[in-house]
C-alpha cells in the first residue's frame, strides 16, 4: 500500500497541475486537459491502426537495439584486445556519440529506404552506449581472477565464459537499459522526421499537421507508457538473469 501511494501521489499531483494549466489556458487547441487526452487515447486504442502502428514501431526499435548491442559488444572486445582496432575504431565511435541524432537522421535518409531509417538510427544510438559500458568493464576487470584463470590453464573460451562474462554482466545490463531509452526516443524521432507507412512517429506527424492537439498528446502519452512498461520488463528480465 505504501509503495502504491508513493507512486500514485506524484502522478495525481502532476495530473492536477496539467488540468489547472489547461483550465488557465482555456483553449483545447493549445493545451487539452488530461480527461480529453485520456478519452482520445482510449478511442485510439480501440482501433486496429493504433496497434499496428505500435507493433511496427516496437519492431523497428528492438531491431535497432539488437544490432546496436551486438555491434557494440563485438567492437568493445576488438578495441580492448587489439591495439590497432582501438586506434581505428574508437575515434569513429566517439564521433558517432557526439553527433546530434537529427544529423544522422537526415544523412541516413539519403542512403536507406524510409522504413529502415528508424532501426538504423536506433542502432547507431545504442552502439556507443554498449561499447562504452563494456570497455569500462573490460578495463576494470579483476586482474587476480585473470591470473587465477591462467594459473589453472583455462582456455580462452573458458576464461571468457567463467571469468569475463560474469564480471561484465552488470555493466552490460546498465548499458543496455540506458541504450533502450535512447533507441526508443531516437527511433520515434526518426519516424517523425521520415514517416514510414505505419508508425507511432507517423501518427504524431499527422496529428501535428492536422492541428489535432489531443491526438498529439494521446500518442505522446502512449509513447511514455510503453517506454516505462518495456523498460520495467527489461530491467526485471536483466535482474533475473543476473541472479541466475
Amino acid at each position: 500500500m505504501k509503495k502504491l501511494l508513493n507512486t500514485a501521489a506524484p502522478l495525481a499531483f502532476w495530473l492536477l497541475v496539467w488540468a489547472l494549466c489547461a483550465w488557465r489556458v482555456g483553449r483545447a487547441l493549445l493545451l487539452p486537459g488530461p480527461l480529453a487526452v485520456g478519452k482520445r487515447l482510449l478511442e485510439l486504442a480501440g482501433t486496429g491502426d493504433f496497434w499496428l502502428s505500435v507493433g511496427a514501431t516496437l519492431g523497428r526499435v528492438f531491431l535497432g537495439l539488437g544490432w546496436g548491442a551486438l555491434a557494440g559488444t563485438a567492437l568493445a572486445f576488438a578495441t580492448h584486445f587489439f591495439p590497432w582496432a582501438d586506434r581505428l575504431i574508437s575515434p569513429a565511435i566517439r564521433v558517432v556519440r557526439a553527433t546530434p541524432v537529427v544529423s544522422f537522421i537526415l544523412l541516413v535518409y539519403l542512403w536507406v529506404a524510409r522504413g529502415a531509417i528508424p532501426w538504423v538510427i536506433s542502432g547507431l544510438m545504442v552502439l556507443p552506449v554498449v561499447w562504452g559500458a563494456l570497455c569500462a568493464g573490460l578495463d576494470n576487470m579483476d586482474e587476480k581472477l585473470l591470473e587465477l584463470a591462467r594459473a589453472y590453464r583455462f582456455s580462452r573460451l573458458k576464461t571468457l565464459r567463467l571469468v569475463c562474462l560474469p564480471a561484465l554482466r552488470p555493466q552490460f545490463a546498465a548499458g543496455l537499459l540506458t541504450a533502450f531509452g535512447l533507441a526508443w526516443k531516437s527511433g520515434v524521432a526518426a519516424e517523425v522526421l521520415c514517416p514510414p507507412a505505419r508508425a507511432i512517429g507517423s501518427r504524431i506527424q499527422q496529428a501535428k499537421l492536422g492541428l489535432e492537439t489531443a491526438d498529439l498528446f494521446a500518442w505522446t502519452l502512449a509513447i511514455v507508457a510503453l517506454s516505462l512498461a518495456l523498460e520495467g520488463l527489461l530491467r526485471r528480465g536483466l535482474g533475473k538473469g543476473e541472479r541466475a
Side-chain angles (χ1 to χ4, degrees), residues 26 90 125 142 155:
S90 294
M125 297 301 104
D142 192 344
S155 65

Side-chain angles (χ1 to χ4, degrees), residues 199-213:
I200 292 177
S202 303
R203 301 298 172 260
I204 291 176
Q205 179 75 318
Q206 291 172 4
K208 187 203 76 168
L209 294 176
L211 296 179
E212 297 169 343
T213 314

Side-chain angles (χ1 to χ4, degrees), residues 67-127:
W67 86 257
L70 288 174
T73 300
L75 292 177
F77 278 93
T79 55
H80 180 79
F81 290 107
F82 302 104
W84 60 268
D86 184 38
R87 289 192 293 269
L88 288 176
I89 297 171
S90 294
I93 295 179
R94 293 188 176 96
V95 168
V96 171
R97 186 163 52 190
T99 304
V101 64
V102 175
S103 299
F104 272 124
I105 292 172
L106 296 178
L107 287 172
V108 172
Y109 185 71
L110 302 174
W111 303 327
V112 301
R114 181 180 295 182
I117 294 174
W119 64 263
V120 172
I121 294 298
S122 295
L124 283 174
M125 297 301 104
V126 167
L127 191 154

